[in-house]
Amino acid sequence: DPDQSIYSFKFAHPQGMDDYSTSQSGVESYTIPFTARSAKKIVYFANQLLSQQDPTRIDLLQPITTQIDGEVKFVKKYSQPEEFDTVIESVRELIVNGESPSNIMILAPRRGLAKKFIEHSEEREPENVKFQFVSKIEFSLNEQERILLLSLIANPNSILHKRSYIGMTDPTHFSKEINKLKSVYGSLEEVLAQAKKEDCRPVEKRKQQVCERITFLREFLLAHNSEQGLAVVLEELFPIDNEELKSMNSLLQDLTEEGDSVKTVYAKFVDYVRALPETDSIVRVMTPLSSKGLEANHVFIIGCNQGNIPGTRTLEHITDHEHVQEQRRILYVTFTRAIKTLTVSWSRYIPFEQALGHNTARVSSVPRRINGVLMSEVGICEFLEDLNGAVWIT
């Protein structure tokens, strides 16, 4: 499903899938517009998000006919605390009626909003319900670089990881420079094998940077292989006397068992970072990006006001239009995390500081105090304004 492509910061675009399938000889493209996950009503509203982008498209997602109808609720509340309370109470009712907390997911478009929801729930202390913010592990740039080197010791023929390593220090991943080098050498494989700084003109500083990283990588891989002693490799890449890197050393040591090699430990590490914590006793609170690939019987999407969705563009290599389209796809992906029920909510008044920090367009420039808190009036997410069949419950 190309519409599940929501990682433009990794240069993953739906168009890229279509372009590849039509430009490469011998590659066949198949569209399978069916889902065995989401109920019919959930798919119905998710498809409307795709139709907003292109009203003429017909290759929309289809639920398998045996799926249940499901339920979709649209909730609008006066203030954010009321919105949070409504969601908490709905979750509590589900659990009282026998649903496992692990089958419920709260999705917030911003990490800060997710944490505000958690704080509110802890103040309220709902009976039988515990919420926990869950996110994928984040690594510093230095850690990422060394993790990639570890991956290449384990899998030295990985073109993907080599390309990732070369581009990781640049916001555009040196895409223009790599394309220029490919035009000289013929392919990415040949660039990795042959490119050197001396082949660049003195004014081509960025191409020189790329060639320097390629040369370092070639020399590094000549000096290392997966048969090396694991302890030696870990100490070289993640020295325990380095404050920033010692926690990675400790993590990898914890994953190591007798007889493990660089390759087996790296495979364990990949599984470790891909797995998100999940227990039967907590309700997961996550961001849409963290929820990619996951599902739950009951999904609640909170904070669906303008400014949260779509959020502010931060990537330089995409246009404002492309950013809005990706934000729409993120909401589509978020809808399709739900199996049985989906609840979409927003509130007319949110904390003033939150609106300011999120660059949220305010309906009124004059804030007002609600229960002693300075609040700003905001509008609904533009993607939700004209959904056919949506009835907003207040």
Side-chain angles (χ1 to χ4, degrees), residues 352-364:
F352 173 78
E353 291 298 329
Q354 188 182 116
L356 198 63
H358 295 180
N359 296 318
T360 303
R362 281 157 277 172
V363 175
S364 171

Side-chain angles (χ1 to χ4, degrees), residues 136-176:
K136 294 180 179 177
I137 302 172
E138 295 182 358
F139 300 102
S140 69
L141 186 63
N142 192 15
E143 288 174 322
Q144 291 175 44
E145 188 164 358
R146 290 162 184 268
I147 289 167
L148 275 172
L149 290 175
L150 179 66
S151 78
L152 285 166
I153 295 175
N155 304 289
N157 296 320
S158 173
I159 300 297
L160 172 62
H161 286 186
K162 289 178 182 178
R163 176 64 183 90
S164 298
Y165 179 83
I166 293 164
M168 67 179 300
T169 59
D170 184 70
T172 67
H173 297 262
F174 293 114
S175 57
K176 290 181 180 179

Side-chain angles (χ1 to χ4, degrees), residues 102-103 276-280 282 284 294:
S102 63
N103 286 328
L276 288 169
E278 178 180 327
T279 72
D280 290 336
I282 65 164
R284 292 167 290 173
L294 303 178

